[in-house]
């Protein structure tokens, strides 16, 4: 399975991104880092550092568009810098379908009552979704997302420049493309403070 991977990173008090680079599952190692100004230094040959701050949503959007235009890989994956894979074996073992919205390697404990079985399960919490930390998209699904009018409106007009999880899940819910999460979560969110300054809410964001 060929996957083009992007990692978004921003200035933090802890260098998470280099830890993630060392911890990546083999299937995700074809990667590029998309860094906000002032981020921790990463290898130059795999890093794009923006001249000006883009913000959370716009950096994520830039990364997804860059991966689609710069690669012919049938799948693209966007990771946030403050995750840590806990099961590279299962991540590498995934044999994804092409007619889905995404597979999420991260599953928050917030979904405990919804995802009761072990393994990959179809679930979409639409606008109330939590955690777009580690999403794997079929190429066509990623293109459909970027071309969707609701996504475009959110990207251009939502001044907070956040809520990637909400808009991505809401769009795929509308399009009728299933989205999948794994129980147990294949990675955990390790940042105490998000890149936009939100404090970690462990009762919501701890891995399932």
């Amino acid at each position: 399975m060929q996957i083009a991977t992007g990692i978004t990173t921003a200035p933090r008090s802890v260098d998470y991104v280099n830890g993630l680079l060392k911890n990546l599952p083999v299937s995700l190692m074809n990667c590029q880092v998309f860094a906000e100004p002032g981020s921790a230094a990463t290898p130059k040959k795999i890093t794009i550092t923006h001249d000006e701050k883009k913000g959370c949503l716009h950096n994520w959007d830039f990364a997804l568009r860059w991966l689609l235009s710069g690669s012919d890989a049938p799948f693209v994956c966007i990771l946030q810098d403050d995750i840590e894979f806990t099961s590279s074996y299962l991540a590498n073992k995934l044999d994804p379908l092409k007619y889905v919205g995404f597979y999420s390697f991260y599953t928050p404990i917030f979904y405990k009552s919804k995802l009761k079985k072990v393994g990959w399960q179809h679930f979409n919490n639409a606008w109330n979704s939590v955690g777009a930390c580690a999403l794997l998209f079929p190429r066509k699904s990623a293109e459909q997302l970027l071309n969707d009018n609701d996504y475009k409106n959110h990207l251009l007009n939502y001044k907070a420049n956040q809520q990637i999880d909400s808009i991505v899940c809401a769009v795929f819910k509308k399009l009728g493309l299933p989205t999948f999460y794994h129980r147990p979560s294949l990675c955990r969110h390790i940042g105490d403070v998000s890149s936009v300054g939100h404090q970690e809410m462990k009762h919501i964001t701890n891995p399932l």
Side-chain angles (χ1 to χ4, degrees):
M1 176 176 56
Q2 187 182 3
I3 302 172
T5 302
I7 299 173
T8 59
T9 188
R12 297 179 182 272
S13 59
V14 177
D15 176 7
Y16 294 118
V17 65
N18 283 291
L20 176 58
L21 286 169
K22 294 176 183 177
N23 178 244
L24 280 176
V26 172
S27 60
L28 302 180
M29 284 187 173
N30 176 24
C31 72
Q32 186 79 28
V33 176
F34 300 89
E36 297 278 40
S39 299
T42 49
K44 289 185 178 180
K45 65 180 181 180
I46 63 164
T47 302
I48 293 174
T49 302
H50 304 303
D51 294 330
E52 297 181 358
K53 180 180 177 180
K54 286 188 173 293
C56 179
L57 173 60
H58 282 264
N59 190 24
W60 189 93
D61 177 83
F62 179 95
L64 186 55
R65 292 178 190 277
W66 191 96
L67 292 173
L68 289 172
S69 64
S71 167
D72 59 359
F75 295 92
V76 292
C77 181
I78 304 287
L79 308 175
Q80 295 180 5
D81 59 355
D82 58 342
I83 62 165
E84 180 179 72
F85 277 88
T86 53
S87 182
S88 291
Y89 169 74
L90 287 174
N92 287 326
K93 193 178 178 182
L94 172 63
D95 185 15
L97 302 172
K98 291 186 177 181
Y99 301 104
V100 303
F102 64 71
Y103 290 87
S104 178
F105 294 117
Y106 167 71
T107 306
I109 199 168
F110 184 62
Y111 295 161
K112 183 177 181 180
S113 65
K114 305 293 184 180
L115 303 176
K116 297 182 179 181
K117 299 178 181 179
V118 173
W120 289 104
Q121 297 163 73
H122 170 210
F123 176 67
N124 191 323
N125 213 34
W127 191 259
N128 297 313
S129 295
V130 174
C133 300
L135 301 181
L136 175 72
F137 303 92
R139 170 178 285 273
K140 184 175 180 180
S141 299
E143 291 170 344
Q144 286 180 270
L145 172 68
L146 296 179
N147 289 323
D148 182 82
N149 287 333
D150 289 341
Y151 177 82
K152 290 178 181 178
N153 180 60
H154 185 77
L155 180 69
L156 296 174
N157 298 313
Y158 185 58
K159 294 182 180 179
N161 199 358
Q162 301 168 16
Q163 289 192 274
I164 299 165
D165 41 16
S166 297
I167 188 58
V168 170
C169 290
V171 167
F172 285 129
K173 183 91 169 181
K174 179 187 72 173
L175 295 176
L177 286 170
T179 54
F180 289 87
Y181 295 82
H182 194 278
R183 179 169 183 165
S185 182
L186 303 185
C187 64
R188 63 191 185 101
H189 186 251
I190 58 176
D192 290 329
V193 180
S194 76
S195 62
V196 295
H198 294 163
Q199 293 291 325
E200 179 80 342
M201 296 181 288
K202 294 188 181 299
H203 65 289
I204 294 176
T205 59
N206 268 354
L208 178 60

Coordinates of all heavy atoms in Angstrom, one line a residue, residues 125-162:
N125 N -19.5 11.0 14.1 CA -20.2 11.9 15.1 C -20.4 13.3 14.5 O -20.7 14.2 15.2 CB -19.4 12.0 16.4 CG -20.3 12.2 17.6 OD1 -21.4 11.6 17.7 ND2 -19.8 12.9 18.6
A126 N -20.2 13.4 13.2 CA -20.5 14.7 12.5 C -19.8 15.9 13.1 O -18.7 15.8 13.5 CB -22.0 14.9 12.3
W127 N -20.6 17.0 13.3 CA -20.0 18.2 13.8 C -19.4 18.0 15.2 O -18.6 18.8 15.7 CB -21.0 19.4 13.7 CG -20.3 20.7 14.0 CD1 -20.3 21.4 15.1 CD2 -19.5 21.4 13.1 NE1 -19.6 22.6 15.0 CE2 -19.0 22.6 13.7 CE3 -19.1 21.2 11.7 CZ2 -18.2 23.5 13.1 CZ3 -18.2 22.1 11.1 CH2 -17.8 23.3 11.8
N128 N -19.9 17.0 16.0 CA -19.5 16.8 17.4 C -18.3 15.9 17.5 O -18.0 15.4 18.5 CB -20.7 16.3 18.2 CG -21.8 17.3 18.3 OD1 -21.6 18.5 18.5 ND2 -23.0 16.9 18.0
S129 N -17.6 15.7 16.4 CA -16.5 14.7 16.4 C -15.3 15.3 17.1 O -15.1 16.5 17.2 CB -16.1 14.4 14.9 OG -17.1 13.7 14.3
V130 N -14.4 14.4 17.6 CA -13.3 14.8 18.4 C -12.0 14.2 17.8 O -12.0 13.0 17.6 CB -13.4 14.4 19.8 CG1 -12.1 14.6 20.6 CG2 -14.6 15.0 20.5
G131 N -11.0 15.0 17.5 CA -9.7 14.5 17.2 C -9.4 14.1 15.7 O -9.7 13.0 15.4
A132 N -8.9 15.0 15.0 CA -8.4 14.7 13.6 C -6.9 14.6 13.6 O -6.2 15.2 12.8 CB -8.9 15.8 12.6
C133 N -6.4 13.8 14.6 CA -5.0 13.7 14.8 C -4.2 12.9 13.8 O -3.1 13.1 13.6 CB -4.8 13.1 16.2 SG -5.5 14.1 17.6
A134 N -4.9 11.9 13.3 CA -4.2 10.9 12.4 C -5.2 10.3 11.5 O -5.7 9.2 11.7 CB -3.6 9.8 13.3
L135 N -5.4 10.9 10.3 CA -6.4 10.5 9.4 C -5.8 10.0 8.1 O -5.0 10.7 7.5 CB -7.4 11.6 9.1 CG -8.2 12.2 10.3 CD1 -9.1 13.3 9.8 CD2 -8.9 11.2 11.0
L136 N -6.3 8.9 7.6 CA -5.8 8.3 6.4 C -7.0 8.3 5.4 O -8.1 7.8 5.6 CB -5.4 6.8 6.6 CG -5.0 6.0 5.3 CD1 -3.7 6.5 4.8 CD2 -5.0 4.5 5.6
F137 N -6.7 9.0 4.2 CA -7.8 9.2 3.2 C -7.4 8.5 1.9 O -6.3 8.5 1.5 CB -7.9 10.7 2.8 CG -8.2 11.6 3.9 CD1 -7.1 12.2 4.6 CD2 -9.5 11.9 4.3 CE1 -7.4 13.1 5.7 CE2 -9.8 12.8 5.3 CZ -8.7 13.4 6.0
P138 N -8.4 7.8 1.3 CA -8.2 7.5 -0.1 C -8.1 8.8 -0.9 O -8.7 9.8 -0.5 CB -9.5 6.7 -0.5 CG -10.1 6.2 0.8 CD -9.7 7.3 1.8
R139 N -7.3 8.8 -1.9 CA -7.1 10.0 -2.7 C -8.4 10.7 -3.2 O -8.6 11.9 -3.0 CB -6.2 9.7 -4.0 CG -6.1 10.8 -5.0 CD -5.2 10.5 -6.1 NE -3.8 10.5 -5.7 CZ -3.1 11.6 -5.7 NH1 -3.6 12.8 -6.2 NH2 -1.9 11.6 -5.3
K140 N -9.3 9.9 -3.7 CA -10.6 10.4 -4.2 C -11.4 11.1 -3.1 O -12.0 12.1 -3.3 CB -11.4 9.3 -4.9 CG -12.7 9.9 -5.5 CD -13.4 8.8 -6.3 CE -14.7 9.4 -6.9 NZ -15.4 8.3 -7.7
S141 N -11.4 10.5 -1.9 CA -12.1 11.0 -0.8 C -11.5 12.4 -0.3 O -12.3 13.3 0.0 CB -12.1 10.1 0.4 OG -12.8 8.9 0.0
A142 N -10.2 12.4 -0.3 CA -9.5 13.7 0.0 C -9.9 14.8 -1.0 O -10.1 15.9 -0.6 CB -8.0 13.5 0.1
E143 N -9.9 14.4 -2.2 CA -10.3 15.4 -3.3 C -11.7 15.9 -3.1 O -12.0 17.1 -3.3 CB -10.0 14.8 -4.7 CG -8.6 14.6 -5.0 CD -8.3 13.8 -6.2 OE1 -9.3 13.1 -6.7 OE2 -7.2 13.8 -6.7
Q144 N -12.6 14.9 -2.8 CA -14.0 15.3 -2.6 C -14.2 16.2 -1.4 O -15.0 17.2 -1.5 CB -14.9 14.0 -2.4 CG -15.1 13.2 -3.6 CD -15.9 12.0 -3.3 OE1 -15.4 10.9 -3.0 NE2 -17.3 12.1 -3.4
L145 N -13.4 16.0 -0.4 CA -13.4 16.9 0.8 C -13.0 18.3 0.4 O -13.7 19.3 0.7 CB -12.5 16.3 1.9 CG -12.3 17.2 3.1 CD1 -13.5 17.4 3.9 CD2 -11.1 16.7 4.0
L146 N -11.9 18.4 -0.3 CA -11.4 19.7 -0.6 C -12.3 20.5 -1.6 O -12.3 21.7 -1.6 CB -10.0 19.6 -1.2 CG -8.9 19.1 -0.3 CD1 -7.6 18.9 -1.0 CD2 -8.7 19.9 1.0
N147 N -13.1 19.8 -2.4 CA -13.9 20.4 -3.3 C -15.4 20.7 -2.8 O -16.2 21.3 -3.5 CB -14.0 19.5 -4.6 CG -12.8 19.6 -5.4 OD1 -12.1 20.6 -5.5 ND2 -12.4 18.4 -6.0
D148 N -15.6 20.2 -1.6 CA -17.0 20.4 -1.0 C -17.2 21.8 -0.6 O -16.4 22.5 0.0 CB -17.1 19.5 0.2 CG -18.5 19.5 0.8 OD1 -19.4 18.9 0.3 OD2 -18.6 20.3 1.8
N149 N -18.4 22.3 -0.9 CA -18.7 23.7 -0.6 C -18.7 24.0 0.9 O -18.3 25.1 1.3 CB -20.1 24.1 -1.2 CG -20.0 24.2 -2.7 OD1 -18.9 24.5 -3.3 ND2 -21.1 24.0 -3.4
D150 N -19.2 23.1 1.7 CA -19.2 23.3 3.2 C -17.8 23.4 3.7 O -17.5 24.3 4.6 CB -20.0 22.2 3.9 CG -21.5 22.3 3.7 OD1 -22.0 23.4 3.2 OD2 -22.1 21.3 3.9
Y151 N -16.9 22.6 3.2 CA -15.5 22.6 3.6 C -14.9 23.9 3.2 O -14.2 24.6 3.9 CB -14.7 21.5 3.0 CG -13.3 21.5 3.4 CD1 -12.8 21.1 4.6 CD2 -12.3 22.1 2.5 CE1 -11.4 21.1 4.9 CE2 -11.0 22.1 2.8 CZ -10.5 21.7 4.0 OH -9.2 21.8 4.3
K152 N -15.1 24.3 1.9 CA -14.6 25.6 1.4 C -15.1 26.8 2.2 O -14.3 27.7 2.6 CB -15.0 25.8 -0.1 CG -14.3 24.8 -1.0 CD -14.8 25.1 -2.4 CE -14.2 24.2 -3.4 NZ -14.8 24.4 -4.8
N153 N -16.3 26.8 2.6 CA -16.9 27.9 3.4 C -16.2 27.9 4.8 O -15.9 29.0 5.3 CB -18.4 27.7 3.5 CG -19.0 28.8 4.4 OD1 -19.0 30.0 4.0 ND2 -19.7 28.4 5.5
H154 N -16.0 26.7 5.4 CA -15.4 26.7 6.7 C -13.9 27.2 6.6 O -13.5 28.0 7.4 CB -15.4 25.2 7.2 CG -14.9 25.1 8.6 ND1 -15.6 25.4 9.7 CD2 -13.7 24.6 9.0 CE1 -14.9 25.1 10.8 NE2 -13.7 24.6 10.4
L155 N -13.2 26.8 5.6 CA -11.8 27.2 5.4 C -11.7 28.7 5.2 O -10.8 29.3 5.8 CB -11.3 26.4 4.2 CG -9.8 26.7 3.8 CD1 -8.9 26.1 4.9 CD2 -9.5 26.1 2.5
L156 N -12.6 29.3 4.4 CA -12.5 30.7 4.1 C -13.1 31.6 5.1 O -12.6 32.7 5.2 CB -13.1 30.9 2.7 CG -12.4 30.2 1.5 CD1 -13.3 30.4 0.2 CD2 -11.0 30.7 1.3
N157 N -14.1 31.2 5.8 CA -14.9 32.1 6.6 C -14.8 31.8 8.1 O -15.3 32.7 8.9 CB -16.3 32.1 6.2 CG -16.5 32.5 4.7 OD1 -15.9 33.6 4.3 ND2 -17.2 31.8 3.9
Y158 N -14.3 30.7 8.5 CA -14.3 30.4 10.0 C -13.0 31.0 10.6 O -11.9 30.5 10.4 CB -14.3 28.9 10.2 CG -14.4 28.5 11.7 CD1 -15.5 28.9 12.5 CD2 -13.4 27.7 12.3 CE1 -15.6 28.6 13.8 CE2 -13.5 27.4 13.6 CZ -14.6 27.8 14.4 OH -14.7 27.5 15.7
K159 N -13.2 32.1 11.2 CA -12.1 33.0 11.7 C -11.2 32.3 12.7 O -10.0 32.6 12.8 CB -12.6 34.3 12.2 CG -13.2 35.2 11.1 CD -13.6 36.5 11.6 CE -14.2 37.4 10.5 NZ -14.7 38.7 11.0
A160 N -11.8 31.4 13.5 CA -11.0 30.7 14.5 C -9.9 29.8 13.9 O -9.0 29.4 14.6 CB -11.9 29.9 15.4
N161 N -10.1 29.4 12.6 CA -9.1 28.6 11.9 C -8.8 27.3 12.6 O -7.7 26.8 12.7 CB -7.8 29.4 11.8 CG -6.8 28.9 10.7 OD1 -7.1 28.0 10.1 ND2 -5.7 29.6 10.6
Q162 N -9.9 26.6 13.1 CA -9.8 25.4 13.9 C -10.9 24.4 13.4 O -11.4 24.5 12.3 CB -10.0 25.7 15.3 CG -9.0 26.7 15.9 CD -9.4 27.2 17.3 OE1 -10.2 26.6 18.0 NE2 -8.7 28.2 17.7

